[in-house]
Amino acid sequence: MKKKFILIFVALIIFLLGIGSGFLTKDFFFPKEKVQDKTKVVNIYDIEPIIVPYTKIGNANVYLYNTGEVYINKQNEIINLKELWQNDKKVADSFQKIVEYLDLVKTLKDGGTEIYQTKKDNVAFSKQYTIIKCQTSDGNNDIYIGEYMDSTTAFKNGACGKNFFESKSFNRIYTITKIEELEANDTMYLLRLTIEDSNGKEVVLERSLNKETRNLLKEKQKYYFYFENKYGELIKEDIADIFEKCSLTGVVPYNA
């Protein structure tokens, strides 16, 4: 009886060790697969921006871009920019009050738009900001202040009235309003074309075309104009800017 009890006890121990060994083998040496977080990490700069009017300086609008109230420590007094600029009539006067706390990052060739960032050792502003001071040839003098603002993205979203895009290949529908033949021979024509968009804005350009292509062009007719933006430049949705920055690769009748 005692021997039988010992055998049962030993068998029980072996059984328990087997379970334990299996447990260790499965969960220790081959641990359960960790559940991966499938949540996509979203870059704050890729989110649709929140742009709200903040104040006005003369005829210039000041906007907050993905940020709340902007505070500045001016001579040991914490005030917001609206208070600092409330009596200013010119953007130049307003900027003169804060320019010492900013680094000029870039000046654009659009009339003089400037992009600033608060200094890295900034002690005046409550946060780090990017500031776009518009000065376009169209007369836009607005200001954009953003805690999370990529200037290129801001321009695509309409900052400074730009509404830029950077498509590599695209087409637009324009009307050829006037065709002048400057020179011609049996095979080639030198033409001066007046081309108009839907808003009535025009460009005038000269092109040498073969006879077949020349015969396709008619005055007062719409055409698809195909462009190649070879260098991926930011382009304003403007007929003059498009023809200036992009290569015209083809013209096809609108109803073809």
Side-chain angles (χ1 to χ4, degrees):
M1 186 70 180
K2 185 176 181 181
K3 184 177 181 181
K4 183 178 180 179
F5 175 79
I6 293 173
L7 288 174
I8 292 173
F9 180 78
V10 171
L12 180 61
I13 294 297
I14 292 173
F15 175 74
L16 291 175
L17 287 174
I19 293 176
S21 176
F23 175 79
L24 289 175
T25 301
K26 180 180 179 181
D27 292 332
F28 184 79
F29 295 104
F30 299 96
K32 294 179 180 178
E33 181 181 354
K34 292 183 179 179
V35 178
Q36 295 183 352
D37 185 2
K38 302 293 184 180
T39 304
K40 181 181 179 181
V41 177
V42 178
N43 190 324
I44 185 67
Y45 297 100
D46 296 332
I47 297 174
E48 188 71 21
I50 300 172
I51 306 171
V52 296
Y54 180 56
T55 188
K56 285 181 70 76
I57 305 169
N59 66 345
N61 296 302
V62 182
Y63 297 95
L64 298 183
Y65 191 108
N66 287 344
T67 194
E69 183 60 80
V70 180
Y71 293 98
I72 186 171
N73 185 342
K74 194 73 173 175
Q75 298 176 343
N76 295 321
E77 181 183 2
I78 306 297
I79 58 176
N80 61 43
L81 277 185
K82 192 182 295 186
E83 293 175 312
L84 183 66
W85 290 346
Q86 63 183 345
N87 296 319
D88 295 338
K89 303 299 181 184
K90 297 180 180 179
V91 170
D93 296 335
S94 298
F95 249 75
Q96 192 60 40
K97 295 177 179 178
I98 64 170
V99 71
E100 63 180 296
Y101 310 118
L102 306 175
D103 287 325
L104 177 60
V105 177
K106 191 173 185 179
T107 301
L108 305 184
K109 297 177 181 178
D110 63 346
T113 294
E114 296 173 330
I115 302 170
Y116 292 86
Q117 288 181 345
T118 47
K119 291 181 180 293
K120 291 184 178 180
D121 57 351
N122 162 54
V123 294
F125 284 91
S126 57
K127 299 176 181 178
Q128 296 294 332
Y129 295 104
T130 296
I131 300 176
I132 299 176
K133 177 176 172 284
C134 308
Q135 188 174 315
T136 71
S137 55
D138 295 337
N140 190 305
N141 297 305
D142 294 341
I143 297 172
Y144 292 79
I145 305 170
E147 184 181 354
Y148 300 102
M149 178 169 63
D150 172 74
S151 56
T152 298
T153 303
F155 291 140
K156 290 180 185 178
N157 284 301
C160 301
K162 293 183 182 297
N163 292 308
F164 276 174
F165 66 97
E166 56 180 351
S167 304
K168 295 293 176 65
S169 299
F170 62 95
N171 67 73
R172 293 292 183 270
I173 299 172
Y174 297 136
T175 301
I176 297 179
T177 58
K178 189 175 181 180
I179 302 173
E180 300 174 77
E181 291 187 2
L182 303 180
E183 296 179 13
N185 56 39
D186 292 338
T187 58
M188 298 297 294
Y189 292 81
L190 177 60
L191 305 179
R192 179 181 291 130
L193 305 174
T194 302
I195 304 167
E196 183 180 278
D197 67 11
S198 59
N199 297 315
K201 295 192 69 174
E202 295 181 338
V203 295
V204 178
L205 56 90
E206 295 181 2
R207 283 290 188 275
S208 292
L209 304 173
N210 60 37
K211 187 174 182 178
E212 181 182 2
T213 305
R214 166 66 186 95
N215 290 337
L216 289 174
L217 303 183
K218 308 292 182 184
E219 291 186 348
K220 311 300 182 183
Q221 298 293 317
K222 290 182 179 180
Y223 294 85
Y224 287 105
F225 286 77
Y226 290 84
F227 297 94
E228 187 71 23
N229 180 10
K230 185 177 180 180
Y231 299 106
E233 288 192 56
L234 285 176
I235 308 162
K236 189 176 181 181
E237 189 56 73
D238 175 85
I239 188 171
D241 204 48
I242 288 172
F243 272 96
E244 178 183 349
K245 294 182 178 179
C246 300
S247 300
L248 179 62
T249 59
V251 180
V252 176
Y254 178 65
N255 293 320

